[in-house]
């Protein structure tokens, strides 16, 4: 009884932390947001929806900061239901998460891009008799947050975004921006473009989008490390969002929940569809639904279409993978890994995503994720 109460208190403490907003993002490294747009708290799933299945002890995980808000919600609900279990997800970056996974220090890693062949090969040293695989678990739009005094709505296309981050468009009243925003009074304020300082899957996804949708304006290869000249760097999605929130004239990229948590306005994308597309979980889901599985066997890596012009489809999306061993997981953490990821991939776990600005993984793909999770050894 005492242990159960202790874990309930721990879950309640986490719940208190996650609703305290931007101060916690900076001071504690937590990027969570458990409230809806009207400020009401989201209901946790009933305990019966979470199967603990022999989970026990502490499970360490790390990686993508883009999925931190989602994982914090899952952890809060999961720990409230499973007495005696502690899941600790360290928000760092996709690159750091994969390094930690291949060093064997975490049970799973979060990454906004699938494992590269050399990373899979390296994982075989840790995954005895198996290898690291990619399980798509969190989807969502990469929002372009902006802070321009007097401007509440902003439309941009891929080429203009590329030229902003390439340091070629330097003022907010540039003709290219004015052309996309008729009737909007744009100031001559200098553009302050913020990008990630750390190797980031979010960076890789926005550069994949720019490379695909505006190849003439974006000469750089898609990569986790930022390559464009100019701009200012900040650590993690929370760091970029904090700078955009504070600096007049700022623009930066981060997962939508960071914008929602801090009240940051976001860019609508001019994709060539009839109307510019807003960054929402629903619109990101429309783009992710067209993704194809490019992995083989138990690996469920996805290939996204960043150039879609489908009505209402927001193409600047990322899918965050949980990277796990298909075989050779540590015996002491395997039950918790399977139990926790089964909840994350459940209907209840995915519903939490949509309620908090993320995009659920399409049902057909998510069913395969659950099959693979159950087969982990």
């Amino acid at each position: 009884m005492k242990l159960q109460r202790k874990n309930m208190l721990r879950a309640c403490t986490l719940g208190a932390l996650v609703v305290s907003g931007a101060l916690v993002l900076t001071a504690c490294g937590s990027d969570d947001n458990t409230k809806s747009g009207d400020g009401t708290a989201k209901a946790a799933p009933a305990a019966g929806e979470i199967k603990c299945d022999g989970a026990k002890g502490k499970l360490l995980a790390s990686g993508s900061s883009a999925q931190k808000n989602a994982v914090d919600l899952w952890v809060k609900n999961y720990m409230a239901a499973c007495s005696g279990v502690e899941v600790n997800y360290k928000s760092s970056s996709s690159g750091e998460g994969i390094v930690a996974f291949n060093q064997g220090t975490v049970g799973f890693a979060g990454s906004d891009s699938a494992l590269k062949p050399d990373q899979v090969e390296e994982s075989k040293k840790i995954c005895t008799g198996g290898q690291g695989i990619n399980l798509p678990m969190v989807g969502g739009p990469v929002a372009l947050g902006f802070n321009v005094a007097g401007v509440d709505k902003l439309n941009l296309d891929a080429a203009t975004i590329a030229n902003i981050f390439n340091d070629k468009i330097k003022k907010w009243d540039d003709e290219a921006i004015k052309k996309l925003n008729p009737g909007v009074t744009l100031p001559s304020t200098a553009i302050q473009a913020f990008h990630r300082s750390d190797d980031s899957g979010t960076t890789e996804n926005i550069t994949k989008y720019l490379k695909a949708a505006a190849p003439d304006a974006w000469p750089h290869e898609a990569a986790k490390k930022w390559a464009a000249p100019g701009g200012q760097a900040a650590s993690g999605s929370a760091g970029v969002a904090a700078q955009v929130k504070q600096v007049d004239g700022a623009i930066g990229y981060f997962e939508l929940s960071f914008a929602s948590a801090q009240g940051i306005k976001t860019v609508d994308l001019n994709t060539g569809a009839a109307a510019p597309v807003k960054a929402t979980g629903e619109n990101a889901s429309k783009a992710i639904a067209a993704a194809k599985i490019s992995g083989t066997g138990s690996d469920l890596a996805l290939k996204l279409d960043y150039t879609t012009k489908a009505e209402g489809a927001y193409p600047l999306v990322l899918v965050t993978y949980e990277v796990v061993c298909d075989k050779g997981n540590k015996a002491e953490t395997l039950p918790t890994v399977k139990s926790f990821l089964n909840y994350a991939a459940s209907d209840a776990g995915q519903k939490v995503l949509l309620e908090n600005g993320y995009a659920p993984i399409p049902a057909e793909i998510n069913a395969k994720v659950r099959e693979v999770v159950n087969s982990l050894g």
Side-chain angles (χ1 to χ4, degrees), residues 191-360:
I191 294 174
Q192 307 287 337
F194 288 90
H195 58 265
R196 291 279 291 270
S197 61
D198 47 335
D199 286 3
S200 160
T202 312
T203 294
E204 184 169 16
N205 277 277
I206 190 173
T207 54
K208 281 182 178 178
Y209 163 73
L210 294 174
K211 187 68 174 176
D216 293 338
W218 190 257
H220 317 288
E221 292 302 317
K224 289 187 174 74
K225 187 175 182 64
W226 187 256
Q232 301 175 61
S235 178
S237 294
V240 175
Q243 291 298 317
V244 172
K245 177 74 173 178
Q246 295 167 11
V247 177
D248 184 29
I251 186 171
Y253 59 91
F254 33 80
E255 200 279 328
L256 179 62
S257 66
F258 294 91
S260 302
Q262 299 190 51
I264 298 171
K265 296 182 286 289
T266 60
V267 170
D268 295 348
L269 288 184
N270 186 328
T271 64
V277 185
K278 293 185 178 300
T280 68
E282 292 87 346
N283 291 344
S285 284
K286 292 176 183 177
I288 295 172
K292 306 296 183 185
I293 294 176
S294 59
T296 58
S298 297
D299 189 287
L300 300 179
L302 300 178
K303 182 176 178 58
L304 299 168
D305 180 6
Y306 295 100
T307 62
T308 180
K309 297 180 181 178
E311 298 299 325
Y314 185 89
L316 179 44
V317 296
L318 61 76
V319 170
T320 292
Y321 301 95
E322 310 312 336
V323 176
V324 296
C325 294
D326 57 356
K327 302 295 178 187
N329 289 278
K330 294 178 180 178
E332 62 269 26
T333 56
L334 178 59
T336 308
V337 169
K338 293 176 72 170
S339 171
F340 179 74
L341 294 184
N342 257 321
Y343 163 57
S346 70
D347 291 342
Q350 291 291 299
K351 183 180 179 183
V352 166
L353 299 184
L354 188 58
E355 291 174 341
N356 289 276
Y358 289 94

Side-chain angles (χ1 to χ4, degrees), residues 24 39 61 130 144 151 168-169 175 178 185 208 224 320 325 329:
V24 173
L144 287 159
V151 179
K168 292 186 176 180
I169 293 179
E175 287 301 320
K178 289 168 68 174
T185 301
K208 281 182 178 178
K224 289 187 174 74
T320 292
C325 294
N329 289 278

Side-chain angles (χ1 to χ4, degrees), residues 144-149 151 154-156 159-178 181 186-195 226 229-232 243-244 247-253 267:
L144 287 159
F146 69 95
N147 179 3
V148 182
V151 179
L154 186 66
N155 300 327
L156 295 175
T160 305
I161 295 166
N163 285 326
I164 286 173
F165 282 101
N166 261 332
D167 205 30
K168 292 186 176 180
I169 293 179
K170 299 178 184 291
K171 301 277 189 180
W172 279 110
D173 61 352
D174 187 275
E175 287 301 320
I177 301 177
K178 289 168 68 174
N181 295 274
L186 294 162
S188 59
T189 307
I191 294 174
Q192 307 287 337
F194 288 90
H195 58 265
W226 187 256
Q232 301 175 61
Q243 291 298 317
V244 172
V247 177
D248 184 29
I251 186 171
Y253 59 91
V267 170

Side-chain angles (χ1 to χ4, degrees), residues 31 63-69 89 91-94 110 112 196 198 200 202 236-238 255 258 358:
D31 306 321
S64 164
S65 64
Q67 72 164 6
K68 173 65 171 171
N69 293 342
Y89 182 82
S91 172
S92 51
S93 67
S94 298
D112 305 329
R196 291 279 291 270
D198 47 335
S200 160
T202 312
S237 294
E255 200 279 328
F258 294 91
Y358 289 94

